[in-house]
Amino acid sequence: MSLDKILAISGKPGLYELKTQTRSGFLAESLLDGKRLSVSIRHNVSVLSEIAIYTFTEEVPLREIFKKIFEKENGEKAISHKESKDKLEAYFSEVLPDYDEDRVYASDMKKVIQWYNILQSKGLTDFTEAEEEKVTEEEE
């Protein structure tokens, strides 16, 4: 499953898999407990494939950061997202050395690490781009 089907819903813990579209929004299933949730179009929803982290030179897609964490941890879980701010910053600077400290907050780092650990625990560790995205980028 690609990151195009994985959602973060504001106000809801964890990550969700997009299941189907409905008249008023869509149906999502929690990756944490498997419960299904009807989400209206009024909710603030982020698709993981559309999220990027600021660096001093560019915005790095979340899938690239997940790849780097995966390689650093040899496919195992990352540190806990509940670690101290200093430990999170030190870990994040190992994974993404040139991240912009002024625009990437500790809360962002916590989310990225928590999301990686959720995906890793579910075996969703294929962080490669979908072929369609690569073709579209080459055409531009």
Side-chain angles (χ1 to χ4, degrees):
M1 175 189 331
S2 73
L3 294 183
D4 297 330
K5 299 274 185 199
I6 306 294
L7 313 170
I9 302 171
S10 182
K12 306 281 184 198
L15 294 173
Y16 295 81
E17 177 186 354
L18 176 64
K19 286 296 184 181
T20 186
Q21 196 168 352
T22 63
R23 276 183 271 149
S24 61
F26 56 89
L27 190 65
E29 183 178 299
S30 172
L31 291 180
L32 292 176
D33 58 16
K35 291 183 181 175
R36 290 191 176 214
L37 171 73
S38 179
V39 182
S40 77
I41 55 175
R42 292 189 179 110
H43 280 90
N44 187 7
V45 177
S46 300
V47 180
L48 263 54
S49 64
E50 301 296 318
I51 298 175
I53 299 293
Y54 294 112
T55 65
F56 292 117
T57 55
E58 62 182 342
E59 292 181 17
V60 178
L62 196 55
R63 73 173 18 100
E64 295 297 321
I65 295 165
F66 286 161
K67 275 187 210 173
K68 290 179 182 189
I69 294 173
F70 185 80
E71 290 166 6
K72 178 182 179 355
E73 300 298 336
N74 294 319
E76 299 298 317
K77 280 195 176 259
I79 65 169
S80 171
H81 65 282
K82 296 180 180 180
E83 291 287 350
S84 69
K85 180 183 176 203
D86 293 336
K87 284 187 179 179
L88 289 172
E89 288 175 348
Y91 184 84
F92 217 74
S93 63
E94 288 177 32
V95 173
L96 193 65
D98 61 337
Y99 80 92
D100 189 340
E101 293 97 352
D102 295 332
R103 300 196 297 178
V104 179
Y105 303 106
S107 60
D108 300 326
M109 295 175 206
K110 282 183 182 188
K111 283 181 189 173
V112 169
I113 292 169
Q114 180 184 27
W115 291 345
Y116 170 82
N117 284 336
I118 291 170
L119 294 171
Q120 190 276 338
S121 70
K122 296 295 180 184
L124 304 173
T125 54
D126 180 13
F127 303 120
T128 56
E129 276 187 75
E131 287 299 316
E132 298 167 18
E133 291 176 8
K134 289 180 183 176
V135 170
T136 312
E137 289 175 6
E138 289 172 4
E139 290 172 357
E140 292 175 354

